[in-house]
Amino acid sequence: MAEPVKIRLPAGRHAICACGRTANAPLCDGSHAGTGTTPQLLDLDAERVIAWCTCRKSGNLPMCDGSHRGA
């Protein structure tokens, strides 16, 4: 089972990986070049913990929606 990567992000704009290739999970590192995907821009008005999907089954990519549990 692929568990999500949980990370606390400060307020501000963040580029969240949507292709699954980043070496800096969950933040985009440009590895999506040539894949046809682009990072999801996430604007936070306050510090927050996010859960980045690693199983690629989420209906809310790149964020985890619990699909890795087989629900």
Side-chain angles (χ1 to χ4, degrees):
M1 176 167 43
E3 294 293 323
V5 172
K6 294 180 184 176
I7 187 172
R8 183 176 301 276
L9 295 174
R13 177 168 274 193
H14 306 278
I16 307 300
C17 176
C19 73
R21 293 182 176 190
T22 187
N24 190 30
L27 303 176
C28 175
D29 67 2
S31 296
H32 63 273
T35 67
T37 62
T38 57
Q40 177 181 353
L41 296 179
L42 180 63
D43 291 310
L44 300 178
D45 57 359
E47 184 177 276
R48 183 174 148 203
V49 174
I50 66 157
W52 178 69
C53 175
T54 60
C55 75
R56 314 301 301 149
K57 295 178 183 175
S58 175
N60 189 33
L61 287 173
M63 304 304 184
C64 176
D65 68 0
S67 293
H68 64 277
R69 295 185 198 116

